[in-house]
Amino acid sequence: MDYITAFWLALVQGITEFLPVSSQAHLVLAGQWLGDIYQGLEFDVILHAGSLVAVVAYFRKEVFSMGRDWCGALVGGEKTKDSKLAWWVIIGTIPAGILGILLKDAAEVILRSEVVMGFALIVFGLLLGLADWKGRGSRDEYSLGLKDVLIIGFAQALALIPGTSRSGITMTAALFLGLNRESAARFSFLLSIPIIAAAGLLLTLDLVQNGTSMGWDVLLVGFVVAVISTYACIHYFLAFIKRIGMQPFVIYRIALGGLLLWYFL
């Protein structure tokens, strides 16, 4: 892989990782456009690392407060809204973690196709549009209860279906539960931290076993571009949905899904 290819693939990943539009579908299209390129396990690892660094850096204050208060509560300290939110992120990760381990291989064999991606983009895009139009309320992430978190957690597991979008489906569930747009997005992003970290760790273990043949200079380009583009995407997305909402992403998902179905059917 050369620098230009690494730049474009990392940029696509960084921009789409946290948007409700499916980064996987975009990487498929980018790979086709760049000449049916397989980015490789080592590049997957570096992109996950870049996304993780970006989301933790952006929410560094929240992550610090949650970690501090959660650890304090474990040793008998006061339970705060941040320690509770930390528990919700942990609990909300469990369904996707368990189902991901059990069903990942089967999902990749049975569901990994461009046609499935196309249908998932459209169907879950329509659900996002309905949630943004009908289900949106005034709650924030600190008002979540155990039932809410489990619903969002099991919704996150649907991201095993290619084209669903992990961020898209968790925002959809949160909106249906009455969270406002920004809170739904913030909780979705916080919920991504353990998932991305776990996925990156598993990929790293595979990489250690299989070795790497990609140059560190190319990996560095991918990492830097992924960090910068992901950080910028989170910032501007939160500002965008506050003013305009989710409907532009719904329209985009339907158009992209239709393009995939037209091209691959």
Side-chain angles (χ1 to χ4, degrees):
M1 184 184 298
D2 57 30
Y3 296 135
I4 301 300
T5 303
F7 173 86
W8 283 113
L9 288 176
L11 185 63
V12 169
Q13 171 75 15
I15 292 175
T16 60
E17 175 68 28
F18 290 103
L19 295 182
V21 296
S22 176
S23 60
Q24 190 174 23
H26 284 80
L27 286 173
V28 167
L29 288 175
Q32 292 284 335
W33 178 58
L34 293 169
D36 198 22
I37 291 174
Y38 170 59
Q39 62 192 48
L41 183 61
E42 52 268 71
F43 204 69
D44 276 342
V45 171
I46 212 68
L47 293 185
H48 276 81
S51 296
L52 182 62
V53 168
V55 69
V56 171
Y58 191 88
F59 291 102
R60 57 193 179 278
K61 293 180 180 178
E62 291 87 346
V63 171
F64 176 78
S65 296
M66 289 163 59
R68 178 198 61 201
D69 291 4
W70 183 76
C71 291
L74 284 181
V75 295
E78 180 184 359
K79 295 180 181 178
T80 68
K81 64 177 185 177
D82 285 315
S83 66
K84 181 181 178 183
L85 187 60
W87 273 117
W88 289 161
V89 169
I90 294 169
I91 293 171
T93 302
I94 293 173
I98 293 175
L99 292 175
I101 292 172
L102 295 177
L103 302 177
K104 181 177 182 295
D105 292 339
E108 287 186 350
V109 172
I110 299 172
L111 300 175
R112 190 177 179 84
S113 78
E114 291 81 4
V115 174
V116 171
M117 286 184 190
F119 279 115
L121 279 163
I122 294 171
V123 171
F124 289 110
L126 291 172
L127 277 177
L128 175 63
L130 179 62
D132 187 51
W133 171 65
K134 188 175 182 180
R136 177 169 48 90
S138 58
R139 299 175 63 191
D140 64 17
E141 63 269 35
Y142 294 103
S143 70
L144 291 169
L146 178 59
K147 180 181 176 181
D148 300 323
V149 171
L150 289 175
I151 290 172
I152 297 172
F154 278 103
Q156 182 172 229
L158 291 174
L160 288 168
I161 303 172
T164 300
S165 170
R166 190 212 60 81
S167 59
I169 195 62
T170 51
M171 290 181 206
T172 298
L175 288 168
F176 272 127
L177 290 168
L179 271 69
N180 61 56
R181 291 165 176 158
E182 306 96 283
S183 297
R186 283 196 302 268
F187 188 69
S188 172
F189 295 157
L190 291 172
L191 197 59
S192 74
I193 293 174
I195 285 291
I196 294 176
L201 178 60
L202 291 175
L203 288 172
T204 300
L205 292 176
D206 287 342
L207 185 60
V208 169
Q209 293 176 351
N210 298 322
T212 178
S213 58
M214 189 172 291
W216 286 104
D217 51 349
V218 174
L219 294 176
L220 181 60
V221 169
F223 176 77
V224 172
V225 173
V227 171
I228 295 173
S229 58
T230 301
Y231 190 97
C233 178
I234 294 172
H235 176 76
Y236 288 110
F237 175 72
L238 289 172
F240 182 87
I241 60 171
K242 185 176 182 179
R243 291 182 285 109
I244 300 175
M246 299 288 187
Q247 299 307 319
F249 299 102
V250 175
I251 296 170
Y252 180 79
R253 285 183 65 112
I254 293 172
L256 181 61
L259 177 63
L260 282 172
L261 293 177
W262 173 78
Y263 189 79
F264 290 102
L265 273 178

